[in-house]
Amino acid sequence: MYQNKFYPCTTKGFSIVELMIALAIFGILTSAAIPSYSAFMTNNRLSNENTALMLDFVMARAEAATRGTRVTVCQSANGTSCSSGGWKSGRIVFVDGGAAGVIGNGDEILKVSSAINAADDMTSTESDNYISYNAAGVVNNNMVITTCKSGFTGVKVTIYPSGRISKDKAGTC
């Protein structure tokens, strides 16, 4: 039987029609998945921002107990001094040997945390711009700080007077 080496009898691969149908299906599935992925990433970012806040408080409590002195977490926009710009502007954890909530000459800065994403908000139930832990790990006041973005489920950190910290969902912002 004669077989042409340039045009074999059997064909392999996809036709252009099959390829176009596969690309159309891929496009439809991708367009349906992108909004869900975006919401997942936003919720994950909110949770991570709140976890970082919680870890600052955990560090301050542990350092206060270890060092036997007051350790403070305060709001800070510049990373060198405490301010009242809100918890979203950033934070400083420092050994607070002088006036409570004020970084003095002898105070040691332990950690500086940067501002959160500009699209997110971080609100507090208290007007204080700092939380201080004494040597026993007890705080000067209790506070609830909520991280939110409009239309998404918020995440809140609660600091109890005993110094204990919890993280919960806050409901839709």
Side-chain angles (χ1 to χ4, degrees), residues 9 34 54 66-67 79 115 166:
C9 296
I34 287 175
M54 191 168 101
T66 301
R67 294 170 184 253
S166 70

Side-chain angles (χ1 to χ4, degrees), residues 50-114:
N50 222 336
T51 298
L53 173 72
M54 191 168 101
L55 291 174
D56 287 348
F57 291 122
V58 168
M59 176 187 181
R61 186 178 188 197
E63 287 292 327
T66 301
R67 294 170 184 253
T69 188
R70 183 176 60 218
V71 176
T72 298
V73 180
C74 71
Q75 303 169 8
S76 176
N78 60 12
T80 59
S81 63
C82 296
S83 64
S84 58
W87 292 101
K88 73 181 284 175
S89 64
R91 298 171 302 280
I92 298 176
V93 179
F94 65 100
V95 177
D96 197 355
V102 178
I103 299 176
N105 290 337
D107 294 343
E108 178 186 355
I109 295 177
L110 303 173
K111 183 180 178 189
V112 176
S113 297
S114 60

Side-chain angles (χ1 to χ4, degrees), residues 13-167:
F14 298 104
S15 70
I16 191 76
V17 173
E18 292 169 331
L19 187 59
M20 294 303 287
I21 290 172
L23 285 174
I25 291 171
F26 177 75
I28 291 168
L29 293 176
T30 301
S31 66
I34 287 175
S36 297
Y37 181 73
S38 176
F40 170 77
M41 292 302 290
T42 300
N43 284 329
N44 202 26
R45 186 184 69 241
L46 290 172
S47 180
N48 287 342
E49 288 170 347
N50 222 336
T51 298
L53 173 72
M54 191 168 101
L55 291 174
D56 287 348
F57 291 122
V58 168
M59 176 187 181
R61 186 178 188 197
E63 287 292 327
T66 301
R67 294 170 184 253
T69 188
R70 183 176 60 218
V71 176
T72 298
V73 180
C74 71
Q75 303 169 8
S76 176
N78 60 12
T80 59
S81 63
C82 296
S83 64
S84 58
W87 292 101
K88 73 181 284 175
S89 64
R91 298 171 302 280
I92 298 176
V93 179
F94 65 100
V95 177
D96 197 355
V102 178
I103 299 176
N105 290 337
D107 294 343
E108 178 186 355
I109 295 177
L110 303 173
K111 183 180 178 189
V112 176
S113 297
S114 60
I116 65 170
N117 188 301
D120 301 338
D121 195 19
M122 196 175 270
T123 57
S124 171
T125 58
E126 299 293 323
S127 60
D128 292 342
N129 67 336
Y130 71 94
I131 293 271
S132 288
Y133 288 89
N134 65 20
V138 177
V139 296
N140 58 323
N141 59 353
N142 65 325
M143 188 179 290
V144 177
I145 301 172
T146 305
T147 306
C148 263
K149 180 177 180 179
S150 182
F152 290 88
T153 301
V155 185
K156 67 180 178 178
V157 168
T158 305
I159 302 131
Y160 297 98
S162 65
R164 190 176 74 82
I165 302 165
S166 70
K167 178 180 172 182

